[in-house]
Each structure stands twice: as C-alpha cells, then as structure tokens.
Amino acid sequence: MRKFFYASDIGDLGKALSEARELKRNRLAYKSLGEGKTIMLVFFNSSLRTRLSSQKAALNLGLSPIVLNIGQDSWKLETELGVVMDGDKSEHLREAIPVMGCYCDLIGVRSFAGLKDREADYAETVLEQFVQYSGRPVISLESATVHPCQAFADLITIDEYKRRPRPKVVLSWAPHPRALPQAVPNSFAEWMLAAGMDLVITQPEGYELDPRFTAGARIEYDQMRAFEGADFVYAKNWSCPGVSDPSRYGQIICSDPSWTVGERQMTVTDNAYFMHCLPVRRNVVVTDAVIDSPASLVIPEAANREISVQVVMKRMLESL
C-alpha cells in the first residue's frame, strides 16, 4: 500500500477489521517489522489524538517516529506552485518534500482545508505533492477533504459495539461557532457506505456533502425523523461544502441551536450509542447529558485511533 486516503486504499474492510482485532489483542506482535525504519509525521495543523496515536502505533511496530511541526520546527513552507516567494515563507514544498523523503521510510501528513478555494481543497493540493515528490508511502492524517484514520477507527468501534449485523448509523450535522472542514464527515460517510451500514445523513439545507462520498446514503433534513430507530449517532459540524453553490464554500450558513444533539433527539433512537471524533464543543455540538452518558463511545473511539493507524502502517511496511 503506497498511500492511504480512501476506504478503497485498504481493500477488503472485513479483512482490515479482522487485522485490527488481531493487533488490538497483541499490539506488539509485529514490533520487529519496523526495526531500523523511520516514519515522519508532518503537521501543518494542530493535533492531539492523531499525533499521540500515530506515535504510539509507530512504536508498537518498532518504527522510530520523527514529528515535524511546520512553521514551528521548520521554516514556513510555501504550498502553491508558480508563486513569487517574496513573503514570509522561506522554503517551498517542492524542495522540502523530497528532503523529508531522504530521512524516512513512511510519511504521515496533516494539512487542513483552507476553506477559501473549493477546487484547490478538493484536488488535495498539499497531500498530492507529498505523493508525487517524497518517493515514500503517504498516510493522510487528515487532509483538506478526508480523515481516513478517524473513519477507520469509527468503523472498528461500531464493529465492536453493534447489536445487529447492519445497524442504522446517523451522521448528524451540529452547530459550531467556527467554520470547519468536511474531512471527517466525508470520510465517515464513505467508510460507513463501503462497510454496508444503513447510513442516514441529516443536515440543514445547503450543507449537502460531496456526492463522491455520500452516494448511497439516505439524506434527511428533519433531524428528529433521521434519529428514529438509530443504533449509532455520530455528531459533527461542517461548513458549507459548496456543492450546489461554490461561492458559499466554507461558510457558516446555519447556527440553529436546535440541532445540538441532546436527550430530546436520543430519546427517539433505539438506545443509540453516541459518537464524535473529538475535540468537541460541549453544549454546542452535544449536551453534557449525552456525551457523559453510558451510551457515549467517544473515549473507546479515540482509543481505536491507535489501532486504525497501526493497521495502515503495518501494511505499508509489509509493502516496502
């Protein structure tokens, strides 16, 4: 496996889940696999779970992790081609990436959407340069449009807690004071559909996600109706994806607090589990009563981030 952006990159999800269960039982079973090898974890943006889980997974496999915080541990990097570099950015990705590739065997990259130019974000401009110029396998640690390590961890969690073979999973938009990217909901929808879940997406009008990630899901604009009989509820904010109107891409077009996931919505579910990728704005995205309830899976879900990225790193090491 040379890159990990999409569910299709990992192949058969049943086999991937089986591998995840095996690694969870014995996280050090393949510690010799990464001996003498290095993974570079490149962060253009802040992180807690992704940073910690990636380093822990690397150590489990015997890899030596190097963490690089762009703009703090390195020069500020220019990401666009054809620009006159007379500003505050001292180095270009075109040179920086192959240099990074000289010092490692695998590369993980976190680079968020700019939310200004939909075409550039959805072309994955930064991530694709790492694929093109590094000469190394590349893992998306959340990019402009996808967060596959999170979605894989979400799938592992649902597989562990599901009470029926094909549970009803609801992805619900929720309000937020800041404009957030669509990477998490894009990948969540993509992976749930690839796994054959009964997926319902509920959001206000204008927040329709890109069909390349959601084709096959049921779209419901009435949140309460969407929640009826749900087995899992996944709350997440995202800004306007600009599918029908690119001029509104990245904007906040609704702040309706009635979309905050609380006991009112959870009451109509089938005793659903609550999920969120974290960090979460309490009493904005979800109420204290829901996230602190026994049905909340946010901590097991976060713990599975270590397992999801370890499966990916293992497979990449095996392909070297």
Side-chain angles (χ1 to χ4, degrees), residues 244-259:
S244 58
D245 184 358
S247 69
R248 306 191 79 176
Y249 173 64
Q251 296 180 9
I252 296 173
I253 59 176
C254 178
S255 300
D256 185 352
S258 72
W259 282 81

Side-chain angles (χ1 to χ4, degrees), residues 35-55:
E35 186 176 352
K37 294 183 172 63
T38 301
I39 183 167
M40 185 170 293
L41 304 171
V42 183
F43 288 89
F44 288 83
N45 299 97
S46 301
S47 174
L48 190 152
R49 279 148 296 278
T50 297
R51 183 184 303 265
L52 297 178
S53 62
S54 298
Q55 291 183 71

Side-chain angles (χ1 to χ4, degrees), residues 204-226:
E205 292 191 21
Y207 280 97
E208 294 81 6
L209 295 166
D210 194 303
R212 77 182 80 172
F213 299 106
T214 63
R218 288 183 286 150
I219 308 300
E220 174 57 67
Y221 296 100
D222 184 325
Q223 189 191 38
M224 292 298 291
R225 185 178 299 167

Side-chain angles (χ1 to χ4, degrees), residues 47-201:
S47 174
L48 190 152
R49 279 148 296 278
T50 297
R51 183 184 303 265
L52 297 178
S53 62
S54 298
Q55 291 183 71
K56 181 63 164 60
L59 293 170
N60 290 347
L61 292 168
L63 280 162
S64 297
I66 298 174
V67 179
L68 183 66
N69 300 295
I70 302 300
Q72 299 176 43
D73 303 328
S74 74
W75 305 108
K76 289 184 178 181
L77 297 182
E78 178 58 64
T79 61
E80 301 296 324
L81 293 170
V83 299
V84 176
M85 290 178 58
D86 58 357
D88 66 340
K89 295 177 180 177
S90 306
E91 188 164 4
H92 200 286
L93 274 183
R94 183 63 184 84
E95 291 77 55
I97 291 172
V99 168
M100 294 178 200
C102 293
Y103 306 142
C104 65
D105 301 279
L106 308 177
I107 296 181
V109 183
R110 165 167 279 210
S111 178
F112 290 172
L115 294 181
K116 301 296 183 184
D117 184 337
R118 188 182 195 280
E119 185 177 349
D121 283 346
Y122 274 75
E124 290 290 3
T125 306
V126 172
L127 204 60
E128 288 294 349
Q129 289 185 72
F130 275 88
V131 173
Q132 185 175 357
Y133 301 133
S134 71
R136 305 298 182 194
V138 177
I139 303 170
S140 170
L141 300 177
E142 187 173 359
S143 61
T145 66
V146 293
H147 197 351
C149 295
Q150 178 65 56
F152 187 16
D154 296 334
L155 180 59
I156 293 168
T157 307
I158 289 173
D159 185 64
E160 290 174 335
Y161 285 87
K162 66 184 181 183
R163 296 180 290 245
R164 65 187 82 186
R166 188 171 184 257
K168 179 180 179 180
V169 179
V170 176
L171 169 61
S172 177
W173 180 91
H176 198 283
R178 295 178 55 206
L180 299 184
Q182 298 102 46
V184 169
N186 282 346
S187 283
F188 183 78
E190 177 203 5
W191 282 71
M192 293 303 109
L193 290 166
M197 302 296 175
D198 178 12
L199 178 66
V200 179
I201 303 173

Side-chain angles (χ1 to χ4, degrees), residues 298-314:
V298 295
I299 303 305
E301 186 182 356
N304 278 330
R305 289 294 310 279
E306 175 189 347
I307 304 304
S308 65
V309 75
Q310 188 171 340
V311 171
V312 174
M313 291 179 187
K314 172 181 174 289

